Amino acid sequence: MSEIIDEKIEGLFQAVVKRNPGEVEFHQAVREVLESLGPVLVKYPEFGEHKIIERICEPERQIIFRVPWQDDRGQVQINRGFRVQVNSVLGPYKGGLRFHPSVYLGIIKFLGFEQTFKNALTGMPIGGGKGGSDFDPKGKSDSEIMRFCQSFMTELYQHLGEYTDVPAGDIGVGAREIGYLFGQYKRITNRYESGVLTGKGLDWGGARARKEATGYGAVFFLNEMLRVRGQSLAGKTCIVSGAGNVAIYAIEKLQQLGGKVVACSDSNGLIHDKKGLDLALIKQLKEVERRRIEDYVFHRKHARYVAKGNLWEIPCEVALPCATQNELNGKDAAKLIKNGCLAVAEGANMPTTPEGVRAFLKAGIAFGPGKAANAGGVATSALEMQQNASRDAWDFEFTEKKLSAIMTGIHQRCYETAEEFGTPGNYVNGANIAGFIKVAKAMVALGLI
Ligand code: NDP
């Protein structure tokens, strides 16, 4: 029976590859989920009859558009914009916008696919989608960023709405970009529809703890994985890749819970500070001055900067990849394991390659996949939507408590599901299966749409 199912799943995967040529990240994300689903199709044969996998792998809608804008010299620039609305059976499409030169359809589809199961795992009423552009915000002036965001929203607005599709930030899109996007949406529609975007500034409809939520949430998830193994973060040496939104607040929560974070990075290099990272300095450099992480060592002479260095070679007990997809490969995983790493929680989306994931699972270390571990961001976005709908604003402590409870719930769901389906401790299976079942059941209930 299981061989027949495995063959069927392999056939479905090959069909996805054929139908979506060249979209390697999308293939990778689909394969990773499908590999967990054999026992699910045995338990729920109706998912096969309803062709749930085939339908889930075909986004409901894919929007690609031209984004023309003028730079500060008056030159016309053209970028490409995307919004992929993957699945809306659980609620309006929800997922961030990424502005990065590497963005193309395959990246947005992989992110939207992951997002669908992640959102289901949160238990909140949100569907899955993702968007973005190959626009590179690095080195652009505020005016250029504003003109780009206005042009992007001038096309995208018609596909959005608080009950339709609610974007947020991701790589290259923070509160500044969300502000310009929201301003243009408001201007075009003549509606102050707060719930159409999340990650807004606190003065104009944003939620407290949203900025911190993805990083904090990843550490809450990590803490749960350690707890069930009778361990804690206190005194553990930690490393975090990236120095953006997710990385900064992962470092903050790790430090609050007693971890010693000794290294982080950006796409140019890494900083290693054996005394423990000075987070206030990193925030000043990255959030206020928008500088490179390299500048850290001008202020902290004992620390070292390694251009193009490999972060994963730094010995640690806890590692959090919080930068981008496929940043941690099989060799990196082997190095981490050899150096005594006990736990890895993915703050980024799909940062570990399939070889890396296999190595972690084989070694039996605690491994929290992004779908589960970084779901705190979107969960808090859903809390922002709740506050917008009720014209309310909760305080930080209340929101953080809710976030913590949500992450504990996600951990428990993944943990129990992994056990139920015969792979105890395997959070990859737990997350894929629990997320998939929730979406699949709703798809069956809503009929062929
Ligand atoms: P930011 O843009 O704030 O930061 C991204 C960080 O990662 C920067 O330090 C950046 O370095 C580095 N980085 C980006 N691309 C690359 C690359 N190709 N190679 C090496 N380093 C890179 O983004 P976020 O912190 O918001 O997002 C980080 C990850 O977390 C992404 O995978 C995102 O999808 C995921 N995520 C984010 C959520 C959120 O709420 N923001 C929610 C859930 C997941 P540099 O400045 O040099 O480019």
Side-chain angles (χ1 to χ4, degrees):
M1 180 67 170
S2 79
E3 268 174 27
I4 299 172
I5 297 251
D6 288 349
E7 247 174 57
K8 185 175 173 201
I9 288 180
E10 181 59 28
L12 291 175
F13 174 68
Q14 291 307 333
V16 168
V17 172
K18 201 167 164 206
R19 212 167 150 71
N20 303 276
E23 297 175 359
V24 287
E25 295 83 1
F26 180 53
H27 304 163
Q28 183 183 337
V30 169
R31 161 146 273 181
E32 195 244 337
V33 170
L34 295 198
E35 276 176 355
S36 298
L37 296 184
V40 178
L41 294 190
V42 175
K43 184 165 179 194
Y44 298 96
E46 65 271 30
F47 293 165
E49 289 153 27
H50 288 273
K51 292 217 174 352
I52 297 297
I53 293 182
E54 292 89 328
R55 285 160 61 196
I56 250 175
C57 292
E58 183 68 23
E60 289 176 14
R61 195 172 294 107
Q62 304 182 50
I63 301 146
I64 304 181
F65 51 99
R66 182 173 66 194
V67 190
W69 57 282
Q70 253 180 328
D71 66 21
D72 286 346
R73 293 169 305 145
Q75 302 288 318
V76 171
Q77 304 286 341
I78 309 291
N79 285 98
R80 189 171 283 177
F82 302 88
R83 187 71 182 166
V84 175
Q85 300 176 329
V86 176
N87 196 295
S88 60
V89 288
L90 294 177
Y93 308 106
K94 183 88 198 83
L97 298 171
R98 176 176 292 191
F99 292 169
H100 193 271
S102 64
V103 163
Y104 77 106
L105 188 58
I107 294 261
I108 300 298
K109 274 162 76 175
F110 119 64
L111 289 165
F113 186 77
E114 290 270 299
Q115 191 83 46
T116 299
F117 304 109
K118 178 189 314 187
N119 293 4
L121 272 178
T122 66
M124 327 278 286
I126 40 180
K130 199 84 188 189
S133 172
D134 56 2
F135 172 73
D136 187 358
K138 259 187 224 136
K140 303 288 190 298
S141 69
D142 272 359
S143 313
E144 288 176 322
I145 299 275
M146 181 180 75
R147 286 196 293 276
F148 175 80
C149 288
Q150 290 179 338
S151 179
F152 185 86
M153 185 53 90
T154 300
E155 180 63 29
L156 187 64
Y157 87 95
Q158 59 193 305
H159 304 287
L160 307 183
E162 62 178 316
Y163 297 109
T164 309
D165 186 347
V166 184
D170 191 83
I171 291 179
V173 179
R176 172 181 59 171
E177 291 73 20
I178 293 292
Y180 295 143
L181 292 164
F182 182 66
Q184 185 72 349
Y185 183 87
K186 186 182 86 58
R187 186 180 193 192
I188 295 172
T189 60
N190 195 29
R191 279 163 62 85
Y192 204 101
E193 192 184 329
S194 302
V196 74
L197 282 168
T198 58
K200 300 182 291 296
L202 294 182
D203 293 332
W204 40 277
R208 290 189 182 82
R210 173 60 188 92
K211 182 175 67 172
E212 293 81 0
T214 308
Y216 276 25
V219 178
F220 288 144
F221 191 92
L222 170 77
N223 210 29
E224 282 300 292
M225 292 199 297
L226 291 173
R227 187 186 58 75
V228 296
R229 290 169 172 241
Q231 296 166 337
S232 87
L233 264 169
K236 298 260 182 325
T237 301
C238 313
I239 59 174
V240 175
S241 67
N245 172 259
V246 179
I248 285 176
Y249 291 96
I251 294 171
E252 184 161 286
K253 189 48 77 181
L254 285 167
Q255 291 182 341
Q256 286 174 8
L257 295 181
K260 183 178 181 192
V261 191
V262 296
C264 72
S265 61
D266 63 17
S267 57
N268 293 357
L270 64 88
I271 48 169
H272 185 190
D273 183 343
K274 285 187 180 163
K275 292 186 180 170
L277 290 176
D278 178 343
L279 186 59
L281 174 58
I282 293 175
K283 282 187 181 178
Q284 176 67 25
L285 292 173
K286 297 301 299 177
E287 293 186 332
V288 181
E289 299 174 20
R290 295 185 188 274
R291 306 257 292 274
R292 308 300 297 163
I293 203 69
E294 180 178 0
D295 293 353
Y296 182 90
V297 295
F298 299 142
H299 301 268
R300 294 289 171 271
K301 300 286 182 212
H302 60 271
R304 65 185 182 118
Y305 172 73
V306 188
K308 294 287 161 213
N310 185 348
L311 184 82
W312 312 120
E313 288 177 359
I314 296 174
C316 67
E317 289 151 301
V318 168
L320 275 86
C322 294
T324 193
Q325 64 277 352
N326 293 328
E327 54 165 315
L328 196 170
N329 63 29
K331 279 192 189 142
D332 300 326
K335 192 89 193 167
L336 282 165
I337 295 162
K338 185 162 167 267
N339 284 339
C341 184
L342 307 166
V344 174
E346 294 186 329
N349 284 309
M350 210 168 73
T352 313
T353 65
E355 297 74 33
V357 174
R358 273 196 288 278
F360 288 141
L361 293 179
K362 190 162 169 234
I365 71 158
F367 176 71
K371 249 185 227 95
N374 72 35
V378 74
T380 308
S381 276
L383 299 179
E384 183 173 335
M385 291 162 74
Q386 269 184 36
Q387 291 167 77
N388 292 151
S390 57
R391 304 277 191 273
D392 204 354
W394 308 337
D395 67 27
F396 191 93
E397 289 68 29
F398 179 77
T399 318
E400 191 189 356
K401 261 196 197 134
K402 279 198 170 258
L403 167 65
S404 168
I406 289 168
M407 295 314 296
T408 304
I410 294 174
H411 173 273
Q412 194 177 342
R413 231 160 281 146
C414 296
Y415 186 83
E416 289 173 0
T417 307
E419 214 158 59
E420 184 192 338
F421 284 85
T423 52
N426 183 333
Y427 293 95
V428 175
N429 275 347
N432 287 340
I433 295 175
F436 177 83
I437 289 177
K438 178 135 192 186
V439 178
K441 282 185 173 171
M443 287 176 77
V444 172
L446 268 62
L448 188 55
I449 51 171

